[in-house]
């Protein structure tokens, strides 16, 4: 299971969202569960809730995704960096041929986008 945390999911995790916490726990203790934190979304989550980056980045179950050249080019074409980096991270890759699911507390943000969404709204 490959899941990308968008900025809203990261901020929610820092505020004690039980569903986000369960995802983080699963990624830490169960094999086959992977959580990704795109760097641009992590920055936005930290802006919305200061301290989020320091809280999430060192967690062993979360992989922070850098803004490499391909991601930067994808982000440059979109309006918001956080959402576009999250969407880019969810695209299929050779390691994840089915792509990843975006975990969010704002599922309406992803309406009409070619991504699968996991609603973390309690």
């Amino acid at each position: 299971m490959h899941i990308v945390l968008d900025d809203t999911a990261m901020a929610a995790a820092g505020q004690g969202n039980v569903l986000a916490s369960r995802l983080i726990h699963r990624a830490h203790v169960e094999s086959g569960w992977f959580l990704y934190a795109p760097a641009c979304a992590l920055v936005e989550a930290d802006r919305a809730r200061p301290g989020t980056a320091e809280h999430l980045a060192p967690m062993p179950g979360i992989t922070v995704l850098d803004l490499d050249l391909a991601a930067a080019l994808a982000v440059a074409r979109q309006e918001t960096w956080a959402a576009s980096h999250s969407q880019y991270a969810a695209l299929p890759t050779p390691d994840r041929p089915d792509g990843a699911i975006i975990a969010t507390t704002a599922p309406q943000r992803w309406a009409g986008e070619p991504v699968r969404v996991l609603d973390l709204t309690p």
Side-chain angles (χ1 to χ4, degrees):
M1 180 68 61
H2 296 274
I3 300 173
V4 174
L5 299 171
D6 76 358
D7 55 311
T8 67
M10 290 184 229
Q15 294 173 326
N17 179 295
V18 94
L19 299 173
S21 295
R22 285 180 187 165
L23 282 178
I24 293 167
H25 175 74
R26 261 204 161 141
H28 178 65
V29 300
E30 290 186 33
S31 65
W33 280 78
F34 303 93
L35 285 184
Y36 305 99
C40 292
L42 188 59
V43 168
E44 283 304 312
D46 198 69
R47 285 181 180 169
R49 186 174 189 285
T52 299
E54 289 85 4
H55 177 74
L56 291 178
M59 289 185 173
I62 297 177
T63 301
V64 176
L65 300 176
D66 294 332
L67 188 64
D68 61 10
L69 178 58
L73 294 174
V75 166
R77 294 184 194 108
Q78 303 293 326
E79 287 184 35
T80 65
W81 288 26
S84 60
H85 197 189
S86 297
Q87 185 172 347
Y88 175 80
L91 293 174
T93 66
D95 295 343
R96 296 175 310 211
D98 294 328
I101 298 167
I102 296 180
T104 185
T105 61
Q108 67 281 3
R109 168 195 278 179
W110 299 104
E113 296 295 335
V115 296
R116 295 176 292 158
V117 173
L118 175 61
D119 186 355
L120 299 182
T121 305

